[in-house]
Amino acid sequence: MSIAAERIERLFALAKEATANGEFDRSREYVRLARRIAERNRCGLPRAFKRFTCPRCAVALRPGVNARVRLQDGHVAISCDCGAIKRYPYD
Amino acid sequence: MPLTPETLTRHELIGVPIRVADAPNPDLVGLSGRVVSETMQTFVVATDSGEKRVPKAGTTFEMALDVSTADQTAGDTDEAAAAGVADATAGSQAPRAAGSPFELGEDTAGVRPRQSWPSGCSANPFAGGCEGGVYVTVDGHTLCARPAARTERTGDSKWR
């Protein structure tokens, strides 16, 4: 595992923790830094990172804190408090 | 590439417990806490008395790597030594950093007497877990880079 991928893992964990503590701007800072590292190193983002960060406001999503998870026809929809919806298909 | 003394300066520093060992500003010396944010020239450290912004340039930092990381360090030293990247060290000794960072701490014998970490700062969040941890002393000039670009200054890839 490269340093870049490992940094992304650490930042995602920190972002989730920040969200749980109510520090949403801190969480956004970590998620944006992780996305920037991924694009600079061309290493992609983990699937959990893509699914549990907001595509619009970049906050790490914690169901029960700032996100709602709904099961719909053919896909899961996770909506952020900001209103953006991230959808992913059933496997 | 886990967080080891060799990779520390290229790795993620947010979340790492840090202490300011030396700084041009005497008020910052002895400051300790977790790094919560990083910019090109500064760190933001969460201390007991709030968040403090510390310039990197000219400052010497002590960073603590936790025990689990220290265990990985031993394994990685062997790999690194086999690859000819770092000096071969004895199994019990902490590896010497390949780059500019050098370290004072050892991971087995607890804290050295000349290191005043646990006694000097009661605010240290890792006061309980100090023994067995590895301390790395880093010159702040080596950390002056954009946070997203700091990983790339020397690549992992060997073929180049």
Side-chain angles (χ1 to χ4, degrees), chain B residues 10-148:
Chain B
R10 290 185 290 132
H11 217 291
E12 188 51 61
L13 296 175
I14 292 174
V16 171
I18 202 172
R19 177 170 171 270
V20 178
D22 190 23
N25 175 1
D27 291 341
L28 294 177
V29 176
L31 196 84
S32 69
R34 272 177 185 280
V35 181
V36 293
S37 180
E38 182 188 358
T39 65
M40 185 164 163
Q41 305 278 3
T42 65
F43 283 121
V44 179
V45 181
T47 64
D48 284 349
S49 53
E51 294 176 355
K52 313 282 184 190
R53 195 171 284 270
V54 183
K56 293 176 183 174
T59 310
T60 307
F61 297 102
E62 275 178 18
M63 300 180 188
L65 310 186
D66 58 9
V67 184
S68 58
T69 316
D71 291 341
Q72 293 171 351
T73 305
D76 258 57
T77 307
D78 297 340
E79 292 173 17
V85 173
D87 297 335
T89 52
S92 64
Q93 281 195 330
R96 216 178 56 184
S100 42
F102 60 96
E103 70 171 345
L104 298 173
E106 299 286 348
D107 57 347
T108 49
V111 181
R112 280 186 176 180
R114 64 191 170 88
Q115 277 191 303
S116 59
W117 184 314
S119 55
C121 48
S122 58
N124 179 9
F126 281 73
C130 267
E131 289 163 31
V134 178
Y135 301 112
V136 187
T137 306
V138 183
D139 181 8
H141 281 294
T142 61
L143 302 173
C144 282
R146 292 187 190 279

Side-chain angles (χ1 to χ4, degrees), chain A residues 62-77:
Chain A
R62 296 270 297 217
V65 179
N66 63 348
R68 286 185 296 178
V69 182
R70 295 291 178 266
L71 306 183
Q72 296 175 356
D73 282 347
H75 63 271
V76 182

Side-chain angles (χ1 to χ4, degrees), chain A residues 1 3 6-7 10-11 14 26 29-30 33 36-37 40-41, chain B residues 1-3 10-12 14 36-37 51 147-148 150-152:
Chain A
M1 197 177 195
I3 287 184
E6 199 161 306
R7 285 185 78 180
R10 278 172 174 261
L11 283 167
L14 287 163
R26 189 74 79 198
E29 187 185 330
Y30 296 159
L33 176 56
R36 179 84 179 125
I37 290 169
R40 283 192 69 90
N41 292 278
Chain B
M1 297 282 289
L3 183 56
R10 290 185 290 132
H11 217 291
E12 188 51 61
I14 292 174
V36 293
S37 180
E51 294 176 355
R150 197 158 38 74
T151 301
E152 304 150 30

Side-chain angles (χ1 to χ4, degrees), chain A residues 48-61:
Chain A
F49 188 103
K50 288 188 239 177
R51 291 182 174 176
F52 287 91
T53 54
C54 175
R56 190 162 82 186
C57 74
V59 74
L61 298 174

